[in-house]
Amino acid sequence: MQQPEIKAVFFDIDGTLMSFKTHQVPDSTVEAIRILQSKGIKTILATGRSINSIDHVSFLDFDGYITFNGGYCVNRDMEILFRQTIDQGDIQRVLAYAKKQPLSFSFMSEQEVTIHDVTPEIAGMYAHLNLPVPPLVDVEQVDTASILQTNIFLGPEQEKEFMETVMPNSIASRWTPLFADVNPKGLSKKVGIDLFCKYFGIPVEQTMAFGDGGNDITMLQHVGIGIAMGNANPEVKEIADYITLEVDEDGIQAALQHYGLI
């Protein structure tokens, strides 16, 4: 089977573009992206992070940004192409639930990220991502209509019941046992890919994507060629078309060379 001509490549951030060990983008990845761009291949970020948490990779000069796992997409000039908030009832139920029993969660909007109840594990997670711990949520002042994503700090064994009873209009995905990304039902990075394929006039068959976590699965399954990093979760590797080296072993460069793109 002939390999499709790749016209756009989508990149996750944490554990894909950026190393958890160095908190840097490897030089080999920076150079690889520059080569793609010089060939006219579109490079697009696809992350679960908020639009306000990507400054550290903006120097890569992407052609577009999928943030909040597809809930907020902008072009390179930061013009909004798509925006979808979480159901207000789901947010209200999270607030009610947290009044009755301990629950850590973060709320993310275009303007800010806030968090409710910071445990040592949560503080360690933010350090792992090289991010400051967000300010505490003012539960009396939450604008329930503005929340694009929330992180719910529950283990996988608690997730199903919580989502069914508290956030039935939302969907959870995770790349760590510590928490789940929660977005409006029907949203994923796949939605962002379709949006940018239409925006740039590129068939989805002519796209490639790199990822490592659970929230990358729909993306890797949807593109023409889905590549799992060597450090990816086992379930991500299972669905990938190709497994490359780890991020710290120049995995992105290696895969792009394997497919003859650089």
Side-chain angles (χ1 to χ4, degrees):
M1 183 176 173
Q2 186 175 3
Q3 177 186 318
E5 179 188 0
I6 299 300
K7 294 185 177 180
V9 184
F10 297 82
F11 298 93
D12 171 55
I13 296 181
D14 300 297
T16 301
L17 279 177
M18 183 160 290
S19 164
F20 285 124
K21 297 175 183 176
T22 67
H23 301 301
Q24 301 290 324
V25 179
D27 291 341
S28 63
T29 299
V30 175
E31 178 61 19
I33 290 174
R34 296 282 185 241
I35 294 172
L36 292 178
Q37 292 167 339
S38 72
K39 292 183 173 183
I41 297 172
K42 302 298 183 184
T43 58
I44 300 160
L45 196 69
T47 181
R49 286 185 179 231
S50 78
I51 189 67
N52 299 308
S53 300
I54 60 173
D55 290 347
H56 57 310
V57 294
S58 60
F59 72 95
L60 293 168
D61 198 24
F62 291 103
D63 295 288
Y65 301 85
I66 300 168
T67 63
F68 296 108
N69 287 313
Y72 191 85
C73 301
V74 297
N75 63 16
R76 70 185 308 157
D77 297 319
M78 294 297 158
E79 296 171 337
I80 300 171
L81 304 180
F82 180 80
R83 178 184 184 275
Q84 184 173 343
T85 55
I86 292 177
D87 179 85
Q88 291 189 58
D90 283 12
I91 297 300
Q92 290 163 351
R93 280 185 290 274
V94 170
L95 293 169
Y97 183 97
K99 288 181 180 179
K100 297 176 182 177
Q101 48 197 306
L103 178 69
S104 296
F105 59 86
S106 67
F107 283 157
M108 304 180 187
S109 68
E110 288 143 296
Q111 285 72 38
E112 64 178 355
V113 177
T114 56
I115 196 164
H116 182 265
D117 186 24
V118 181
T119 65
E121 292 79 13
I122 292 171
M125 183 273 296
Y126 277 96
H128 183 57
L129 295 174
N130 199 32
L131 287 171
V133 177
L136 291 177
V137 171
D138 182 348
V139 294
E140 304 302 326
Q141 299 294 324
V142 173
D143 178 2
T144 58
S146 71
I147 308 302
L148 290 153
Q149 179 171 297
T150 177
N151 293 143
I152 301 294
F153 291 85
L154 291 173
E157 67 283 354
Q158 301 164 286
E159 179 185 305
K160 185 174 185 292
E161 181 181 357
F162 180 88
M163 293 303 297
E164 288 176 351
T165 59
V166 181
M167 304 192 76
N169 302 298
S170 303
I171 187 170
S173 60
R174 64 173 66 227
W175 55 268
T176 170
L178 187 60
F179 71 87
D181 289 340
V182 179
N183 299 93
K185 191 168 282 186
L187 271 193
S188 69
K189 294 181 181 182
K190 172 183 177 292
V191 171
I193 288 170
D194 284 339
L195 183 144
F196 277 107
C197 283
K198 183 177 180 180
Y199 183 75
F200 289 120
I202 296 172
V204 71
E205 294 80 16
Q206 294 183 303
T207 62
M208 174 184 284
F210 288 83
D212 71 306
N215 61 344
D216 296 318
I217 289 175
T218 58
M219 172 171 75
L220 299 190
Q221 289 176 319
H222 190 53
V223 293
I225 301 174
I227 299 175
M229 304 301 293
N231 48 274
N233 295 345
E235 63 269 24
V236 180
K237 292 180 177 179
E238 286 177 11
I239 58 88
D241 297 304
Y242 182 75
I243 301 170
T244 188
L245 301 173
E246 296 190 9
V247 59
D248 293 297
E249 298 172 339
D250 304 320
I252 287 178
Q253 178 190 63
L256 292 173
Q257 289 174 339
H258 172 80
Y259 282 99
L261 293 181
I262 62 172

